[in-house]
Amino acid sequence: EVQLVESGEDLVQPGGSLRLSCSASGFTFSSYAMHWVRQAPGKGLEYVSGISSDGSTTYCADSVKGRCTISRDNSKNMLFLQMSSLRPEDTAVYYCVKRQMATNGFDQWGQGTLVSVSS
Amino acid sequence: QSALTQPRSVSGSPGQSVTISCTGTSSDVGGYNYVSWYQQHPGKAPKLMIHEVSKRPSGVPDRFSGSKSDSTASLTISGLQAEDEADYYCCSYAGGYSWVFGGGTKLTVL
């Protein structure tokens, strides 16, 4: 069974930084691109960041560009998201997501971790 | 990238059909056949319902179907059931390893 379990800071001050982790199991992690998608309270889904299976290609959305670093450790089946200069509008549930390479669908989602940016 | 445009809400009675539209541009929906749809119940993670415009993953009922014309994709749910009441999001590849979601549509089963 595929499992994606997110963890990280739940409360961060404005201007601060965070590092989210996602532990993956139940599939060959090193074969799949991975992504982060977030959802502000009561709002829709927003694509945040993605990384190729070998880590050679990364992308951060315009809303977080310059403040976002995505990385992975294939030896430990772990995905990471670092964000800096956090703003209140970064408050959201952050989902770790696996992308099915053949179909380009986001076929597995973690349960999400809530990050609140507030003083 | 700007979010794809979806209606905020749609509704239908049990047994009826509803269609949710998702409008983008030639840089996303119109440029690639990588449109997917997700169902999200309150407090739950999204679930993939349709990928590559019109293909259903294993386990998704054939009441769910997808299509695309130019820069507008559509999700049709036929034979509405109470458990279909949820939020639905479209998503499209937008090039350069980027993806964009729609704003979401709340489906109410009357």
Side-chain angles (χ1 to χ4, degrees), chain B residues 63-81:
Chain B
R63 302 185 293 104
F64 291 83
S65 62
S67 63
K68 189 184 85 164
S69 177
D70 296 327
S71 297
T72 297
S74 298
L75 173 71
T76 297
I77 309 170
S78 58
L80 269 179
Q81 298 183 3

Side-chain angles (χ1 to χ4, degrees), chain B residues 42-75:
Chain B
K44 301 293 187 182
K47 174 186 176 183
L48 176 65
M49 303 302 285
I50 295 286
H51 60 81
E52 294 173 283
V53 176
S54 61
K55 300 178 181 178
R56 282 187 311 277
S58 173
V60 173
D62 60 7
R63 302 185 293 104
F64 291 83
S65 62
S67 63
K68 189 184 85 164
S69 177
D70 296 327
S71 297
T72 297
S74 298
L75 173 71

Side-chain angles (χ1 to χ4, degrees), chain A residues 39 52 59 99 103-104 106, chain B residues 1 34 38 40 52 97-98:
Chain A
Q39 186 169 35
S52 59
Y59 177 84
R99 176 162 61 90
T103 69
N104 279 309
F106 296 127
Chain B
Q1 303 82 358
Y34 291 133
Y38 301 85
Q40 187 180 35
E52 294 173 283
Y97 226 80
S98 70

Side-chain angles (χ1 to χ4, degrees), chain A residues 6-34:
Chain A
E6 303 93 340
S7 60
E9 296 88 344
D10 54 4
L11 179 62
V12 185
Q13 290 197 337
S17 6
L18 65 76
R19 187 190 197 219
L20 299 181
S21 302
C22 171
S23 176
S25 61
F27 64 103
T28 306
F29 181 72
S30 59
S31 295
Y32 292 91
M34 297 295 295

Side-chain angles (χ1 to χ4, degrees), chain A residues 42-84:
Chain A
K43 303 296 185 182
L45 301 174
E46 180 188 13
Y47 182 77
V48 176
S49 185
I51 187 167
S52 59
S53 58
D54 64 358
S56 62
T57 301
T58 63
Y59 177 84
C60 289
D62 288 345
S63 58
V64 297
K65 197 157 287 183
R67 306 187 293 125
C68 155
T69 303
I70 187 172
S71 60
R72 64 191 296 161
D73 185 339
N74 284 346
S75 68
K76 296 181 180 177
N77 292 352
M78 295 290 294
L79 175 72
F80 305 100
L81 178 69
Q82 291 181 269
M83 286 182 59
S84 60

